[in-house]
Amino acid sequence: MNKLRIGIAGLGTVAQGVLHLVRTNGSLMVSRTGIELVVQRIASRSAKPGVDLLGAAFSKDLHDLVADPEVDVILELIGGEGSAKELIESALAAGKPVVTANKAVIAAHGDQLLAGGNVPLRFEAAVAGAIPIIQSLNQGLAANRIDAIYGIINGTCNYMLTVMEEEGLAFDQVLSQAQALGYAEADPAFDIEGIDAAHKLTILAALGFGTSYNFSALYVEGITQITVDDIQYAKELGFKIKHLGIAVQSEAGLETRVHPTLVPASALLASVNGVMNAVQVVSDGAGETLFSGPGAGGAATASAVLADVLSFGSLVAAGPSEAAQSQDQGAHSAVAVPEISRVAMDDVLSACYLRIPTIDRPGVFALVASTLSAHSISIEAVIQKEHPGSDASVFIVIITDMVVESVVNAALTELSALDIIVGEIIRIRVAPTH
Ligand code: HSE
């Protein structure tokens, strides 16, 4: 049996989940892996008197983790970019392997932190909580060319869209519920404006397509414009609205985008509800694979953190110098990571859902259709709905055929300028098909 002494930075939900799993499943881990996890030291800005630290030393200074010679591995569970990045850098420089659940820091600084790849830095918990998607991309699907990744990778958005659909509750009410249940990030804008999902897609795209960790290359849109009406109209047209991270490789390059998406009601992803996450990977050998599970929560995220810890347990047991010389399988190699060509959002091709608020008068639909037609946009389906709260106007709801983004943008600009339009036109892209 090998002892692995861990130092934990942070004492929030995920750190407490780690302590819970070590306490309840520690012996199971020993029998399964031969590794006994010992929580050696915990560092957190604030003490939590009610939490069982499993006998670990406690300090308020994060640097104590790196300085403690009895800490073999550091778990960075504080989140954010500033102190977390500094801690990861100093731990790696000291030859201590790091496990992090921090998607923001990897999405923004992954290339730099992983350069060299000598001391392990792993981050299974950074994407889709409990789902072992990083391991699946790095190992399980290593023999495949990845063609596409579609992910429901923000539990808060998925929870909100599900409750809006099932209970007909308005956006703001459901956001308060999600926050009360502890699903939302400290700053809920990260969830509802798509930033959290974009951090995660940045990581999936880097691993799936061998490109750089380039958060700024993504197109990002959140769910703040989605209403219960849109969810209902989409349902009538045979779709569910999901907030998706989409990375698709084609001859034109790599598309990386995060936005609300109409998914056919019969698609596998359409049945993933509530706080659950799911990642669908399309590859040449394995075909379509779907990974699903809880994307947030203390114990679920801790499960992924500890999977990483146990994965290099034997390496650390061999001694720090071995650890420092070993090539980390979870990282890119020391070679500079290429930035592969990305498809600009203006060039992305997709069908679109349009909710167009117009005055209710003869000839209006003909005018909308002729404006779209002038841009060679073909209509696939259309319904007309009463405009809630207004007798004088209606919603014309259209699904278009496939159309290039810049063309829809031009058509929407022209439509919006017509005097028959009485509010903002909502556009939601339809999921690509494979
Ligand atoms: N706020 C995140 C979510 C937590 O809702 O998915 C996990 O990253």
Side-chain angles (χ1 to χ4, degrees):
M1 183 171 70
N2 294 314
K3 268 197 177 131
L4 186 58
R5 299 164 301 179
I6 61 180
I8 304 176
L11 203 40
T13 314
V14 178
Q16 290 181 41
V18 166
L19 292 170
H20 167 74
L21 280 188
V22 171
R23 185 171 55 244
T24 53
N25 294 346
S27 8
L28 180 67
M29 293 179 218
V30 172
S31 57
R32 191 173 281 149
T33 65
I35 295 159
E36 182 191 359
L37 295 183
V38 176
V39 183
Q40 189 71 27
R41 177 173 288 279
I42 297 171
S44 169
R45 276 187 210 105
S46 51
K48 299 241 165 82
V51 177
D52 177 2
L53 304 184
L54 307 182
F58 179 84
S59 51
K60 294 198 168 175
D61 187 347
L62 295 177
H63 297 102
D64 291 351
L65 294 170
V66 180
D68 188 341
E70 307 217 317
V71 168
D72 300 315
V73 175
I74 291 179
L75 279 53
E76 184 282 295
L77 306 177
I78 51 178
E81 283 190 44
S83 316
K85 176 169 179 266
E86 203 185 300
L87 174 66
I88 293 171
E89 282 172 330
S90 59
L92 295 176
K96 290 188 198 262
V98 176
V99 172
T100 179
N102 190 328
K103 54 249 161 180
V105 91
I106 299 296
H109 308 289
D111 292 330
Q112 181 205 330
L113 292 171
L114 292 160
N118 287 332
V119 183
L121 164 60
R122 295 202 180 158
F123 42 87
E124 182 66 73
V127 182
I131 304 174
I133 188 62
I134 307 275
Q135 196 180 45
S136 299
L137 287 171
N138 279 338
Q139 289 159 32
L141 294 170
N144 292 263
R145 182 196 69 225
I146 307 294
D147 294 323
I149 299 174
Y150 304 107
I152 295 175
I153 44 182
N154 183 268
T156 303
C157 286
N158 205 38
Y159 172 83
M160 290 182 63
L161 292 171
T162 302
V163 176
M164 286 167 76
E165 181 198 342
E166 291 178 353
E167 298 177 23
L169 294 178
F171 186 91
D172 290 343
Q173 273 175 290
V174 186
L175 176 59
S176 307
Q177 272 188 16
Q179 286 175 302
L181 289 165
Y183 298 149
E185 295 291 310
D187 178 355
F190 269 52
D191 294 303
I192 60 178
E193 287 173 9
I195 299 159
D196 177 78
H199 284 146
K200 294 165 181 169
L201 188 70
T202 300
I203 297 171
L204 292 177
L207 296 171
F209 301 98
T211 188
S212 62
Y213 290 78
N214 189 351
F215 174 72
S216 58
L218 271 68
Y219 173 81
V220 186
E221 211 179 279
I223 60 167
T224 51
Q225 285 195 312
I226 305 295
T227 64
V228 171
D229 293 332
D230 292 312
I231 293 172
Q232 185 54 41
Y233 304 158
K235 195 173 188 172
E236 286 180 35
L237 291 160
F239 295 94
K240 282 230 202 180
I241 299 180
K242 294 289 178 191
H243 188 252
L244 288 194
I246 299 173
V248 180
Q249 173 81 288
S250 68
E251 280 178 11
L254 179 64
E255 281 174 29
T256 43
R257 49 194 170 107
V258 168
H259 52 70
T261 310
L262 262 68
V263 175
S266 57
L268 287 173
L269 285 175
S271 60
V272 177
N273 289 318
V275 75
M276 294 291 276
N277 281 197
V279 182
Q280 183 170 16
V281 182
V282 184
S283 60
D284 60 348
E288 286 187 21
T289 46
L290 183 76
F291 305 82
S292 171
T301 310
S303 160
V305 168
L306 289 172
D308 276 344
V309 173
L310 293 168
S311 78
F312 51 57
S314 55
L315 185 105
V316 174
S321 59
E322 288 286 322
Q325 280 159 29
S326 155
Q327 182 66 46
D328 184 13
Q329 293 175 2
H332 289 303
S333 70
V335 181
V337 184
E339 170 59 11
I340 59 180
S341 119
R342 307 237 181 184
V343 179
M345 196 58 199
D346 264 358
D347 298 331
V348 162
L349 188 66
S350 71
C352 290
Y353 161 106
L354 304 175
R355 170 164 55 85
I356 307 168
T358 70
I359 56 171
D360 190 7
R361 144 180 124 199
V364 164
F365 178 72
L367 192 50
V368 169
S370 66
T371 307
L372 294 176
S373 168
H375 291 267
S376 303
I377 297 173
S378 169
I379 294 173
E380 169 77 24
V382 61
I383 49 178
Q384 182 172 309
K385 292 286 172 186
E386 284 179 14
H387 189 162
S390 164
D391 291 340
S393 60
V394 292
F395 285 139
I396 296 173
V397 180
I398 286 172
I399 303 278
T400 70
D401 278 339
M402 297 291 274
V403 54
V404 174
E405 183 86 3
S406 58
V407 172
V408 184
N409 290 343
L412 294 186
T413 303
E414 197 175 321
L415 266 180
S416 301
L418 299 177
D419 61 4
I420 57 160
I421 302 297
V422 292
E424 191 179 0
I425 301 174
I426 298 301
R427 172 254 310 272
I428 310 173
R429 299 165 189 89
V430 178
T433 46
H434 258 274

